[in-house]
Every structure is written in C-alpha cells, then in structure tokens.
Amino acid sequence: MSTEASVGADPEEPVVPADPVIETANEQLEDGVNRCPACGSTEIQLRVSTSMLICLFCRHEWAEEKVEPLVSADQALRDLTGTTVATGASDITADADMLTMKCSGCGAEVVVNTSESTSSRCHWCRHVLSVNEQLPNGAVPDAVLPFSITRDQAVERIKEFAGKRRMFALRRFTREFTPENVVGVYLPYMVVDSNASADVQGVGEVQTRRYTRGTGDNKKTVYDADVYRVDRHVDFTADDLTLESSSERANMSAFVNTNNVINTILPFDTKNAVQWNASYLVGYTSERRDTDVSELVPVLEQQLLSIARSEVRDSVSRYDRGVRWETENVVVHGTRWLSMYLPVWLYSYYHEAGERSMVHYIAVNGRTGETMGSVPVSHWRLSVAALTTGTVLESVAVAILAAS
Ligand SMILES: [Zn+2]
Ligand SMILES: [Zn+2]
C-alpha cells in the first residue's frame, strides 16, 4: 500500500518560458575604474581618427569588443522568436540619477550625476571614476558607436552645407555663422532585429484595351481592364533597424526640427558598435534614453509594414494599372533589442523672429559624414530670385521653404 503517488500529484506550476535576456555589461570594468590596460592610468579618451581609446599617459591605443557577436550568438534572424532584450535596453524603473561611487584610488565617496555625465573626477586624488553599471535609468546603453569623423571634418561639412544655401540664407545667419561651435553628441537609439510576416490584400488591374470615344471636344480615352483580387504573404527579417529612444527630444518644440534632421542622416554602421566604456564619451555630451521597448513596439511595427510593402511591390508588376491595397497586417514572430549611443556632430543656430523663433540645426553623421540641416532663409531674397530667374527656381525655393 502506498499513498505517495497521490501525494506527489500536485499540479505543477505551468512553466512560462521567460523572455531571453542578453547580458552586455562590460565585466572587466566592474570596479568603476576604466584603466589603461598597458599602464593603469585612468586618463583615457577617444581618439577619433582611429575610433579607438587612447591613454593620454602612455599613448597606448585599444578598443572594446564589438557587441554584434555577443548579441547575435550565431542565431539566424529567421529563427528569432519572442522578445529578446539586452540588459542595457531593459525597462527604466528608477529615477536614480545620482550614483555614489567609492574611489578605488583613495577610498573617498564621489557622487556622479548620471543624467549629465557618465564619468567624474575624484576631487581628492584626481582619479577618473566611470559609470559602467547598467543602472535602470537608461544612462548606460549596451553599446556605443564611437565617432570616426573628427571635429575638423565636421566643421568642413557644415561650411560646405551652409555655403551651398548662402544665396537664400538670412544675412544674420551668414554673419554669425561659427561652425567651430559644433558639439559632439551621443544620441540614444534602440537597434532592433526582427523576424516577421505580413499579409496584404487588394485589387489589381491589367489593361486589356485602350481606345478613344467621341469626337472633337468630347473626345475621351477609355480603357478596359481585367480586375483581380491580389493576396500576398511575405516572410522577412530586418536587421538593425534604428529607432529613436529619447521621447523628451520629440516633445520639445524647439527640437522637433532636430528630430527630422537626425533621421535624414541615417543610417549608421551599427555593426561596428562596441561594448560600453564611459571613456568613449569623455569630451562629448550624451542624451539619456527615456523610452522602453514596449513603447517602441508600435513604431517598429510601422517600419516593418513599410518594409513588407516594398517587398510586395516587386511581385505585382504585372498589374500594369496598379494595385489598390485594402487590408494589410504584420505579425512579429521575434525581436531582439539593443540600446546604443550613436555619434552626431550638431551645429545649432537660434533664429529669433518673434513668435516664430526656432532653433536651426545642421547635423553631421559622426561615422559617414552625411550632412543635413536647415538654414534660416530670407523670404525677400527668395522672391527676388524667383522673379528674376523664373519658375524653375521658384519651385526650388518653395521646396527649400517647405523643408526649413
Ligand atoms: Zn597607459
Ligand atoms: Zn580618489
């Protein structure tokens, strides 16, 4: 006789598979001190011309590990399921911006305001202390893409950009133009890999005959066409889509301009991003991420849908009178999220014009040198140019106005 069987028959808790997490914290920097591997000095910064870290004491140069192999782990995007979030992209839960660090040089306690900086100098022994911990406030990302375009190169690009628009630019802008005031900024992005499918349905037309009816002023061209129901299913993957992860910037009216500007200097070579080391940020400003994965899912779905549309477009060329899409939907099978700092050189100009004052920006991609921006235009100069050289230039002027 045995009762064990019934005793042991308690229904087990259903096993819910936890979403996978990718650990990206830089373990070598756990003690909060970023030392030169050759001499141990903490005087380290980015050498832009090589995109490597350089020790200002012994001139040794090195780079942190690329983050891509760590993240993809040989998994094909086609096999991606669920939501994988790297540790630096996890939800923002704390407002804990002030971090107290113990200086390993002298033992003093040093406070770092992580919303403004990710490193600080010990005021007693002058050791540089760096925030390497991925605090739940979005200040430390999974990866950083270091600048490779130097300040001088950025200044050149900005001069060239403004120079081409000089003819229509506000005189004051031209007079006060000081591209040397360019600032290097690391902006927060989510870099997302996706495995998805999409279904679209619509109506396509193929022309069978084309002829004219009536005579004289009543002449009309008509056509006959066969009408088809068109259904398409696409399975696709998207590698390294970049989504802005600072909502603060999107909400500030003065910055609306920048938002658009930054998106026009994409893409970045995100595959070259390296593991976090606060020393990459020395001498640059950065903006903290304030958006979680869940808030960015709708944005991602919109981007995936537009990828699906363009995938489908090639397959419907036989409908020579076009296809009118009526329904579309995207199913996301798997995503992988990584937070990353991307490098941008920014030149700003505050244009004061009463109620319509605004900040104009010229932005330079810190990797490719791609440059875009807006320059305050003189409407008077635009009209004169349009009157003297005709309608072609006028349409150009309107386009510039619309873009500014
Ligand atoms: Zn050194
Ligand atoms: Zn100290």
Side-chain angles (χ1 to χ4, degrees), residues 78-291:
R78 176 98 343 275
D79 303 329
L80 204 58
T81 52
T83 307
T84 310
V85 179
T87 46
S90 55
D91 285 359
I92 294 164
T93 54
D95 223 358
D97 290 342
M98 307 306 279
L99 181 74
T100 306
M101 300 178 83
K102 204 174 181 68
C103 172
S104 66
C106 71
E109 294 209 319
V110 178
V111 175
V112 185
N113 182 353
T114 58
S115 68
E116 285 172 1
S117 174
T118 49
S119 62
S120 184
R121 197 179 281 280
C122 169
H123 41 265
W124 297 106
C125 73
R126 302 199 49 75
H127 241 90
V128 179
L129 303 180
S130 303
V131 180
N132 300 313
E133 220 180 306
Q134 290 169 334
L135 301 165
N137 71 349
V140 172
D142 294 299
V144 52
L145 186 62
F147 279 88
S148 63
I149 293 281
T150 64
R151 171 184 298 273
D152 288 349
Q153 287 169 329
V155 168
E156 278 313 305
R157 307 272 175 150
I158 293 165
K159 276 187 187 158
E160 196 188 325
F161 181 89
K164 282 185 189 156
R165 286 147 188 86
R166 211 185 157 87
M167 189 174 161
F168 303 115
L170 214 62
R171 279 243 163 79
R172 216 179 127 201
F173 171 82
T174 316
R175 203 166 53 233
E176 294 173 359
F177 187 57
T178 38
E180 294 73 19
N181 290 350
V182 66
V183 181
V185 190
Y186 282 102
L187 295 175
Y189 274 80
M190 285 282 198
V191 175
V192 195
D193 293 334
S194 312
N195 175 21
S197 301
D199 286 283
V200 290
Q201 286 100 26
V203 176
E205 291 189 3
V206 179
Q207 183 175 305
T208 51
R209 200 157 79 94
R210 184 190 160 96
Y211 50 97
T212 43
R213 263 190 197 150
T215 47
D217 288 348
N218 290 324
K219 214 155 116 178
K220 272 198 299 192
T221 303
V222 285
Y223 70 92
D224 293 340
D226 289 339
V227 178
Y228 297 86
R229 264 231 74 78
V230 183
D231 292 83
R232 287 290 184 272
H233 174 88
V234 269
D235 298 312
F236 62 102
T237 59
D239 191 13
D240 281 12
L241 289 176
T242 46
L243 310 180
E244 247 173 314
S245 61
S246 166
S247 65
E248 217 171 277
R249 190 148 42 91
N251 290 336
M252 286 166 73
S253 60
F255 285 101
V256 166
N257 214 352
T258 344
N259 261 348
N260 305 335
V261 166
I262 303 299
N263 289 333
T264 58
I265 60 166
L266 296 172
F268 286 83
D269 54 331
T270 44
K271 294 281 178 245
N272 290 316
V274 294
Q275 261 193 299
W276 173 254
N277 183 323
S279 304
Y280 282 110
L281 270 67
V282 174
Y284 300 92
T285 61
S286 61
E287 199 170 288
R288 191 161 61 83
R289 170 174 70 91
D290 66 357
T291 312

Side-chain angles (χ1 to χ4, degrees), residues 36-41 55-60 62:
C36 163
C39 76
S41 161
C55 168
L56 300 183
F57 192 73
C58 75
R59 312 305 291 177
H60 175 65
W62 76 102

Side-chain angles (χ1 to χ4, degrees), residues 47-67:
R47 187 170 173 226
V48 178
S49 55
T50 59
S51 282
M52 286 165 86
L53 295 173
I54 182 164
C55 168
L56 300 183
F57 192 73
C58 75
R59 312 305 291 177
H60 175 65
E61 283 188 39
W62 76 102
E64 291 295 341
E65 292 290 323
K66 280 196 182 155
V67 87

